């Protein structure tokens, strides 16, 4: 019998159901990103034989199949022993089966079905179930969200009966270690040739693995006694249900690739751009360019003279400032306007263009360009193609090949060169061909401390985490410290994501020591859970020790005002218009104390002799 009140059990079941849906959305959405990022992913030859149908939507469908295997594996890992399974855990099993099969399983059939679910998942391997997030560069930054969902499901499963045993904690810890090992301690660089090869291998593998998982997780599979050594649901499931399941799968596979009108595609792309934190100057540039292209389209329909400026671009800025994300949105915008037929994005860097031996670079560069035709070719760290002394003949060959194709196929190809500001300016100025073809340069500024906090909260909200006031203060102080002391390698948005992932791990460690875990425990990142990448916990505590103020802006009249930062996350009254508004984040009003001043006040030795920002 559960030690938790009924309303809390009901709330946990609801949260579990939401988490299942979020996991599905993560996998399916990642499948769409893969399709948009790799032009070959939906073309003939990517794991298909000549003459076979090419279904661009199938990658999302296959990722959907993969997520079902993951859900079964998490359930079996958290509740491995059938003899000790509680009634409440069986109810979560019912929710999972309904998610997988689209039908409810009740009574004695439920007990048998959950036994089958656990037995069948033994054939699934953790590495296979998460492989795309490890090997496909385009979705690798979603690993933190995946890990959060996995551990949330596991925590709900072991805590639903109100009695978290030592064995439960051991299972959770084993799962955390498993996820850490699968991800690895180091994150490979994006856009390398290794990334591209890994993506091809992973997607080719996905096509075969998805079929196996689909067959192993369906109602039809549960009806077959050969699937499991334990008793499956058996005669409790009618052939009509199996036919219904098969019909649903056929219906999904037969859906059109994209039924949106150009106007809808443009509106959705613009919506994605507007949702990005910061980047106001970039948004204005893109909107101006979009308006110009729309006007030229209208003029063409009226038979008026039109001009077609060079649409090739340079994105300059430090890492993590959103260059790749914006490039993907621009590709979608151009596709919706009819400027590009497909509007997909192909990411690469020097390793994807330059070969190891003489005579191979031209064909390799042309192959990558062919992959990007009717879309956007995004070249990260493009300045590495040109060296200062002019001795790099392979890089020079790649650039010359690229320049010719940029001009000859300007109606089918848009190239975006990206990299650090100084190096990119030097590269473009040093080559007249590039400077004449790159018509637009977009400068991506570093994110402010407030923007970093908003990115952190955006990621947290997707996983249903909330941030109380003291947690907000620590985040803002930590990001302010990093921003003030930043250099050209400042992580920007990646710092926010890394900080979120570390904070969730700290939360998981705290919950593992608790005997009772509530919904609030699972969804609240408290101050002690907050971890900011590259700032030690002791230093972070020091940074938040003193009182401070922030400058917030009223959502009604846009007038700024200064408030105590202990009001972050609350509703305040505007001094100008007297209306109330949510003071979620603000720009710190900051002064830097002398070295050791804060530490001396708190009687804690300063770390590494570094001063902590003091917010006034």
């Amino acid at each position: 019998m559960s030690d938790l009140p009924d309303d809390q059990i009901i709330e946990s079941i609801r949260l579990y159901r939401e988490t299942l849906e979020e996991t599905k959305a993560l996998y399916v959405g990642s499948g769409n990103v893969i399709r948009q990022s790799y032009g070959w992913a939906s073309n003939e030859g990517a794991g298909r034989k000549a003459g076979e149908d090419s279904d661009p939507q199938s990658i999302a469908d296959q990722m959907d199949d993969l997520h079902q295997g993951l859900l079964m594996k998490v359930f079996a890992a958290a509740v491995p022993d059938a003899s000790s399974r509680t009634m409440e855990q069986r109810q979560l099993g019912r929710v999972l089966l309904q998610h997988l099969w689209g039908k409810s399983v009740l009574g004695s059939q439920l007990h048998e079905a959950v036994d089958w679910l656990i037995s069948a998942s033994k054939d699934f391997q953790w590495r296979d179930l998460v492989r795309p997030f490890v090997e496909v560069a385009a979705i690798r930054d979603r690993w933190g969200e995946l890990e959060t969902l996995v551990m949330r499901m596991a925590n709900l499963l072991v805590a639903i009966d109100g009695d978290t045993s030592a064995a439960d904690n051991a299972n959770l810890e084993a799962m955390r270690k498993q996820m850490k090992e699968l991800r690895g301690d180091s994150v490979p660089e994006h856009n390398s040739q290794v990334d591209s090869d890994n993506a091809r291998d992973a997607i080719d593998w996905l096509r075969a693995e998805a079929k196996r998982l689909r067959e192993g997780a369906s109602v039809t599979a549960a009806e077959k006694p050969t699937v499991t050594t334990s008793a499956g649901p058996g005669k409790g499931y009618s052939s009509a249900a199996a036919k219904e399941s098969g019909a649903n799968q056929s219906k999904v596979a037969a859906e059109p690739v994209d039924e949106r009108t150009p106007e809808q595609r443009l509106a959705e792309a613009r919506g994605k751009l507007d949702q990005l934190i910061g980047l106001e100057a970039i948004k204005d540039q893109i909107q101006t360019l979009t308006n110009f292209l729309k006007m030229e389209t209208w003029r063409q329909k009226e038979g008026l003279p039109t001009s077609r400026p060079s649409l090739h671009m340079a994105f300059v800025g430090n890492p993590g400032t959103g260059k790749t994300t914006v490039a993907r949105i621009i590709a979608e915008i151009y596709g919706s306007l009819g400027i590009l037929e497909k509007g997909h994005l192909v990411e690469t860097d020097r390793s994807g263009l330059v070969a190891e031996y003489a005579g191979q670079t031209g064909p390799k560069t042309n192959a990558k360009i062919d992959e990007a035709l009717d879309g956007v070719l995004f070249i990260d760290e493009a300045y590495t193609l040109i060296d200062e002394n002019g001795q790099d003949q392979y890089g020079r060959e790649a650039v010359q090949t690229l320049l010719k194709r940029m001009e000859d196929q300007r109606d089918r190809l848009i190239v975006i060169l990206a990299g650090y500001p100084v190096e990119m300016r030097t590269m473009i100025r040093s080559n007249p061909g590039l400077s004449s073809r790159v018509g637009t340069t977009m400068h991506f500024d570093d994110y402010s401390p407030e923007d970093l906090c908003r990115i952190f909260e955006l990621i947290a909200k997707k996983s249903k985490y909330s941030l109380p006031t003291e947690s907000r203060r620590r985040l803002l102080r930590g990001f302010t410290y990093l921003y003030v002391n930043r250099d050209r390698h400042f992580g920007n948005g990646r710092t926010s994501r890394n900080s979120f992932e570390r904070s969730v791990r700290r939360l998981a460690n705290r919950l593992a020591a608790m005997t009772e875990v509530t919904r609030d425990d699972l969804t609240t990142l408290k101050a002690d859970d907050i971890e900011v990448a590259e700032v030690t916990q002791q230093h972070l505590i020091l940074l938040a020790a003193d009182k401070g103020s922030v400058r917030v802006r009223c959502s009604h009249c846009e007038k700024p005002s200064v408030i105590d930062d202990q009001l972050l996350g609350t509703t305040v009254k505007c001094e100008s218009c007297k209306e109330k508004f949510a003071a979620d984040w603000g720009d710190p009003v900051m002064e830097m104390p002398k070295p050791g001043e804060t530490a001396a006040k708190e009687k804690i030795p300063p770390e590494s002799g570094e001063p902590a920002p003091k917010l006034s």
Side-chain angles (χ1 to χ4, degrees), residues 449 453 456 467-481 525-528 530-532 539-550 563-570 583-586 588 598 602 613-616:
C453 289
F456 185 104
L467 295 167
T469 295
E470 191 56 34
S471 301
R472 293 171 181 269
R473 292 184 71 248
R474 287 201 186 184
L475 269 179
L476 186 57
R477 300 293 181 92
F479 287 145
T480 300
Y481 175 80
L525 288 171
K526 296 184 178 180
D528 289 340
I530 298 301
E531 182 173 341
V532 175
H539 197 179
L540 189 60
I541 293 172
L542 287 177
L543 291 171
D546 290 335
K547 293 183 178 180
S549 301
V550 291
I563 63 171
D564 192 312
D565 65 1
Q566 291 183 341
L567 295 176
L568 285 175
T570 68
D584 48 1
W585 298 104
T598 303
E602 299 298 324
K614 181 178 180 182
L615 305 186
S616 61

Side-chain angles (χ1 to χ4, degrees), residues 379-440:
I379 306 176
D380 198 12
E381 297 182 349
Y383 53 83
T384 58
L385 294 172
I386 296 180
D387 64 342
E388 295 182 0
N389 54 28
Q391 300 301 311
D392 182 8
Q393 59 178 348
Y394 296 161
R396 188 165 59 250
E397 182 182 358
V399 171
Q400 293 305 317
T401 303
L402 183 65
L403 287 173
K404 187 175 188 306
R405 297 290 296 274
M406 288 169 68
E407 183 62 31
D408 292 348
Q409 296 182 301
R410 58 185 298 181
D411 292 334
R412 297 187 61 193
L413 176 71
I414 292 176
V415 175
I416 297 179
L417 308 173
Y420 288 112
V422 175
E423 287 84 346
M424 289 301 300
R425 282 195 293 269
T426 301
M427 172 190 182
I428 293 174
R429 290 173 181 173
S430 66
N431 189 301
L434 280 177
S435 59
S436 64
R437 287 173 175 80
V438 176
T440 302

Side-chain angles (χ1 to χ4, degrees), residues 398-591:
V399 171
Q400 293 305 317
T401 303
L402 183 65
L403 287 173
K404 187 175 188 306
R405 297 290 296 274
M406 288 169 68
E407 183 62 31
D408 292 348
Q409 296 182 301
R410 58 185 298 181
D411 292 334
R412 297 187 61 193
L413 176 71
I414 292 176
V415 175
I416 297 179
L417 308 173
Y420 288 112
V422 175
E423 287 84 346
M424 289 301 300
R425 282 195 293 269
T426 301
M427 172 190 182
I428 293 174
R429 290 173 181 173
S430 66
N431 189 301
L434 280 177
S435 59
S436 64
R437 287 173 175 80
V438 176
T440 302
T441 298
M442 295 191 180
H443 297 270
F444 288 71
D445 296 328
D446 289 331
Y447 286 113
S448 68
E450 180 180 352
D451 287 339
L452 294 173
C453 289
R454 292 188 184 279
I455 293 172
F456 185 104
E457 185 177 29
L458 183 64
I459 300 171
K461 281 185 175 180
K462 287 182 179 179
S463 298
K464 298 293 194 302
Y465 286 108
S466 62
L467 295 167
T469 295
E470 191 56 34
S471 301
R472 293 171 181 269
R473 292 184 71 248
R474 287 201 186 184
L475 269 179
L476 186 57
R477 300 293 181 92
F479 287 145
T480 300
Y481 175 80
L482 291 179
Y483 182 82
V484 170
N485 294 280
R486 74 190 187 283
D487 57 18
R488 58 180 288 168
H489 302 295
F490 181 51
N492 284 289
R494 297 174 191 173
T495 298
S496 292
R497 182 173 291 278
N498 290 339
S499 299
F500 170 74
E501 293 175 1
R502 295 185 183 190
S503 298
V504 170
R505 293 192 185 102
R506 287 184 65 85
L507 169 62
N509 290 334
R510 179 168 64 83
L511 295 183
M514 298 171 58
T515 57
E516 294 186 7
V517 179
T518 66
R519 175 184 171 85
D520 285 343
D521 293 329
L522 289 168
T523 58
T524 304
L525 288 171
K526 296 184 178 180
D528 289 340
D529 300 325
I530 298 301
E531 182 173 341
V532 175
E534 302 180 34
V535 179
T536 66
Q537 284 303 108
Q538 184 186 22
H539 197 179
L540 189 60
I541 293 172
L542 287 177
L543 291 171
D546 290 335
K547 293 183 178 180
S549 301
V550 291
R551 183 177 291 103
V552 296
R553 192 172 295 276
C554 175
S555 58
H556 302 285
C557 67
E558 295 296 321
K559 296 289 183 63
S561 58
V562 176
I563 63 171
D564 192 312
D565 65 1
Q566 291 183 341
L567 295 176
L568 285 175
T570 68
T571 300
V572 299
K573 189 174 183 179
C574 176
E575 297 177 355
S576 299
C577 69
K578 308 304 179 184
E579 294 288 338
K580 292 183 178 181
F581 67 96
D584 48 1
W585 298 104
D587 183 26
V589 181
M590 183 186 67
E591 64 179 75

Side-chain angles (χ1 to χ4, degrees), residues 298-305:
W298 296 334
R299 288 178 62 88
Q300 184 178 23
K301 290 180 180 179
E302 296 296 330
L304 297 172

Side-chain angles (χ1 to χ4, degrees), residues 19-29 63-64 67 71 99:
T19 308
L20 298 181
E21 293 297 334
E22 288 179 39
T23 307
K24 177 177 181 177
L26 173 65
Y27 271 74
V28 174
M63 288 291 285
D64 188 11
H67 107 275
L71 301 185
H99 177 85

Side-chain angles (χ1 to χ4, degrees), residues 336-357:
S336 66
L337 292 174
I339 304 300
L340 297 171
E341 184 176 338
K342 294 182 180 178
H344 65 290
L345 180 78
V346 173
E347 303 174 42
T348 190
D349 64 358
R350 177 186 171 92
S351 64
L353 303 174
V354 176
E356 297 180 3
Y357 305 103

